[in-house]
Amino acid sequence: QVQLQESGPGLVRPSETLSLTCAVSGYSIRSGLYWGWIRQSPGKGLEWIGSTYYAGSTYHNPSLKSRVTISVDASKNQLSLKLSSVTAADTALYYCVTSYSMTTGSWFDPWGQGALVTVSS
Amino acid sequence: DIQMTQSPSSLSASVGDRVTITCRASHSIGTYLNWYQQKPGKAPKLLIYSASTLQSGVPSRFSGSGSGTDFTLTISSLQPEDFATYYCQQSSSLPGTFGQGSKVDI
């Protein structure tokens, strides 16, 4: 059973880079599945950020693509998110998620418990 | 992006009530529609995928239907643990987009 646990700084200053890590347990990140991030804020609701596959393919939300880096560290069985040039609009609860595919017809399950990130000086 | 619109945004109901939530897509998405339940302080949890298939472990009082642009989530007999916010999500095309949520409370 896949379990996901996010971690990272809860406060990031404007214009800096937000960095989060997701520890994966109960499943090898090399064994398949797509690993990604979704955020939730009062203003924008639930927003898919992007997802990546261990063997290479990465997908991003076009609205964030130029600022997002999603990567996998198979040696640590963890996923990371970097979001550059943050503003207050990036304040949100960030969830680590899995999906079996990123093609038509997939879904996100399970989700991590979430990590709250506030952007403020 | 495909826009997902849910109605109502919130509703008040009682234990035992039949509850229906609607989700409308801005473009036809076939049956590529998922439903999630979120309780306060918790992450969303997958309830239904592909419009009508119950995720393992989800009680049979939940059901989903629809295709094209109009979808429905029905709770046949509301239980105390069902008071939550429900979200639809389309998986027809990237980026997968979510509805704004429908909160079910007492």
Side-chain angles (χ1 to χ4, degrees):
Chain A
Q1 178 178 347
V2 180
Q3 292 186 313
L4 308 168
Q5 178 68 61
E6 305 89 345
S7 62
L11 179 65
V12 181
R13 304 213 181 276
S15 79
E16 295 187 346
T17 296
L18 177 161
S19 295
L20 292 173
T21 298
C22 173
V24 179
S25 59
Y27 194 90
S28 170
I29 212 164
R30 292 187 177 93
S31 297
L33 297 182
Y34 280 79
W35 309 92
W37 296 90
I38 289 173
R39 68 182 183 180
Q40 184 173 30
S41 62
K44 290 191 174 182
L46 288 163
E47 181 180 31
W48 172 72
I49 298 169
S51 298
T52 190
Y53 185 72
Y54 166 69
S57 303
T58 300
Y59 302 82
H60 299 96
N61 191 322
S63 67
L64 298 167
K65 182 177 181 178
S66 63
R67 300 195 290 132
V68 171
T69 302
I70 295 173
S71 60
V72 165
D73 185 337
S75 67
K76 296 181 178 179
N77 215 43
Q78 66 184 27
L79 171 73
S80 69
L81 168 70
K82 294 188 186 299
L83 181 65
S84 63
S85 304
V86 296
T87 69
D90 295 309
T91 294
L93 191 54
Y94 286 76
Y95 292 103
C96 179
V97 294
T98 63
S99 58
Y100 75 90
S101 170
M102 287 309 297
T103 57
T104 300
S106 64
W107 50 84
F108 300 110
D109 179 67
W111 300 49
Q113 66 181 27
L116 179 62
V117 178
T118 300
V119 179
S120 175
S121 56
Chain B
D1 298 1
I2 296 176
Q3 306 302 315
M4 307 301 294
T5 304
Q6 291 180 232
S7 61
S9 296
S10 65
L11 67 96
S12 295
S14 301
V15 172
D17 284 353
R18 181 181 182 88
V19 170
T20 298
I21 296 169
T22 297
C23 178
R24 175 164 288 176
S26 61
H27 298 85
S28 178
I29 58 171
T31 57
Y32 300 123
L33 190 284
N34 308 314
W35 289 99
Y36 301 85
Q37 176 194 62
Q38 185 177 34
K39 295 182 179 180
K42 300 293 187 181
K45 168 191 163 186
L46 179 69
L47 283 182
I48 290 170
Y49 59 91
S50 300
S52 61
T53 304
L54 242 59
Q55 171 70 332
S56 175
V58 173
S60 59
R61 62 181 179 273
F62 290 92
S63 64
S65 64
S67 66
T69 60
D70 294 316
F71 301 85
T72 299
L73 171 69
T74 299
I75 309 173
S76 60
S77 178
L78 197 67
Q79 297 302 299
E81 61 267 31
D82 301 336
F83 290 96
T85 301
Y86 295 85
Y87 295 93
C88 61
Q89 177 242 333
Q90 66 82 16
S91 59
S92 174
S93 64
L94 293 178
T97 44
F98 293 83
Q100 82 280 13
S102 295
K103 184 178 181 181
V104 177
D105 58 20
I106 300 174

